[in-house]
Amino acid sequence: MSTLKDIQSKDTEDKSLQNYKKQLLGDVATPFPDDPRKVIVKEFYIEFQDGKKVTLDPTDKKLLEKMKKEPLEIKEKANYRFGVGFYIQHDICHGLKFKLKMAKGIFSNTDDFTLGSYGPKKDIQSWFQKNWEEAPSGMMYRGGYTGTATFYDLDKQQHLEWSFKLNIVKA
């Protein structure tokens, strides 16, 4: 695959192609030049259809420890979706993916989402699930769930993995 430098250095004499590349890539920037990582995940979102949005920093170890003792609560039958906020820097990230595994007891469900390819930008980029999920309802489904989220790319390079807990509560 071509690197960002390869793409930028080709066809420099063709102004229309240079304009096209600028439109496609936007303003290429490195938000954290001293950080060697290509992908920096900074936000994990739980957005509710009623407009409420919870934003967490999945790299905050203290917050993740606190969430083990005090899980986030989602009311049964609430419509919600997950999202992530991330920075891309130094080069294009091809085939960014987000895997989400939710488990309760012996039951688990894993969703693997392809986010796409992203170029480096100074601003945070975000992605949300397209479809809303409905929280399960009923006595059997209420209670604690453990989630594991993994952010990786087509090259199978894992950029971040974190765990969290949710509680489904009576509406």
Side-chain angles (χ1 to χ4, degrees), residues 66-84:
K66 181 183 175 189
M67 285 183 60
K68 288 179 182 175
K69 297 175 191 130
E70 301 170 29
L72 287 170
E73 290 188 350
I74 297 179
K75 290 183 180 176
E76 58 186 355
K77 292 197 172 202
N79 289 313
Y80 68 94
R81 63 184 180 172
F82 293 112
V84 287

Side-chain angles (χ1 to χ4, degrees), residues 21-38:
K21 286 192 258 186
K22 185 169 174 100
Q23 275 185 320
L24 188 64
L25 294 172
D27 291 327
V28 175
T30 301
F32 308 101
D34 296 332
D35 191 328
R37 296 177 293 172
K38 186 174 15 175

Side-chain angles (χ1 to χ4, degrees), residues 6-68:
D6 293 340
I7 293 169
Q8 288 177 318
S9 66
K10 288 181 182 174
D11 305 310
T12 54
E13 68 286 343
D14 187 337
K15 287 192 187 275
S16 66
L17 190 53
Q18 288 301 314
N19 286 337
Y20 172 71
K21 286 192 258 186
K22 185 169 174 100
Q23 275 185 320
L24 188 64
L25 294 172
D27 291 327
V28 175
T30 301
F32 308 101
D34 296 332
D35 191 328
R37 296 177 293 172
K38 186 174 15 175
V39 179
I40 301 171
V41 182
K42 285 303 284 178
E43 296 178 342
F44 177 61
Y45 312 116
I46 303 173
E47 183 178 43
F48 295 89
Q49 203 167 27
D50 67 5
K52 181 182 169 194
K53 182 168 131 181
V54 177
T55 302
L56 307 168
D57 180 351
T59 63
D60 183 340
K61 302 285 187 222
K62 287 181 183 176
L63 175 66
L64 295 176
E65 283 301 312
K66 181 183 175 189
M67 285 183 60
K68 288 179 182 175

